[in-house]
Amino acid sequence: MRLILAALPLFSFVLWAQIPASKVVVQVAGKPERIFTGDDFSRMPRHHLSAKEHDTTIEYDGVLLRDVLEKAGAPLGKELRGKALSTYVLATARDGYAVVYTLTEMDAAFTDSEILLADHVKGQPLSETQGPFRIVVAGDKKPARSLRMLERIDVVQLRK
């Protein structure tokens, strides 16, 4: 499995997940191209998130999606203004399920909510039916936007 954050007009990237987590690669196609390894993720700040799913609270660990997007070159922070506000993130699962998030949903200047790129649940790696990567959205009342078996992320800017 790969996670690609690819540029549709902006850029894309892919996470390679069928290899051990220590060897996970994220290939950034765009300007500039960048490859992230499992070691890169291990050096990123880790976060813990509790999410309610089917009347049960589940504990997830991983990195913030905004941290990955920032390292990939997405317009966040001072760059997230004007035309960049029409940029969205399309996350697609291995089974074709897809969810859209706006960049403002993960930018600290706009919100305090967190969107986690999780690789662990209850202290253990995600199962094959959940992972190896999953997006978990804090504060959502329904888990429908918490996408499991993440395979691809596209950062797209709407055209007029």
Side-chain angles (χ1 to χ4, degrees):
M1 173 197 322
R2 351 184 253 181
L3 170 66
I4 300 172
L5 226 113
L8 284 182
L10 213 52
F11 65 89
S12 302
F13 75 79
V14 176
L15 290 177
W16 301 84
Q18 287 184 336
I19 51 179
S22 63
K23 301 282 186 180
V24 172
V25 176
V26 177
Q27 182 181 359
V28 178
K31 300 173 186 170
E33 181 173 290
R34 172 129 188 235
I35 296 174
F36 296 88
T37 66
D39 289 339
D40 293 324
F41 285 115
S42 70
R43 288 190 295 272
M44 293 176 72
R46 300 288 294 180
H47 294 265
H48 176 80
L49 184 67
S50 298
K52 194 160 193 163
E53 297 178 10
H54 310 292
D55 297 325
T56 304
T57 300
I58 309 288
E59 309 294 326
Y60 289 98
D61 293 296
V63 298
L64 292 178
L65 183 55
R66 73 173 164 236
D67 290 346
V68 174
L69 294 175
E70 184 175 56
K71 287 186 179 291
L76 294 165
K78 292 180 181 180
E79 295 176 17
L80 188 52
R81 58 188 171 89
K83 189 176 180 180
L85 289 170
S86 66
T87 304
Y88 65 91
V89 175
L90 174 64
T92 306
R94 187 170 50 229
D95 63 2
Y97 188 75
V99 178
V100 170
Y101 312 93
T102 67
L103 283 182
T104 58
E105 287 183 89
M106 53 195 87
D107 191 290
F110 286 87
T111 184
D112 290 330
S113 72
E114 294 181 331
I115 298 177
L116 189 72
L117 180 57
D119 57 1
H120 283 77
V121 61
K122 300 178 186 174
Q124 299 296 317
L126 293 170
S127 69
E128 188 175 316
T129 60
Q130 294 294 312
F133 300 100
R134 178 182 181 130
I135 292 180
V136 182
V137 183
D140 277 5
K141 292 181 179 182
K142 291 185 175 186
R145 295 186 335 135
S146 292
L147 184 135
R148 61 187 180 85
M149 298 183 302
L150 180 63
E151 185 172 76
R152 180 180 177 93
I153 295 176
D154 295 296
V155 178
V156 182
Q157 185 168 16
L158 293 174
R159 296 182 192 180
K160 286 190 174 188

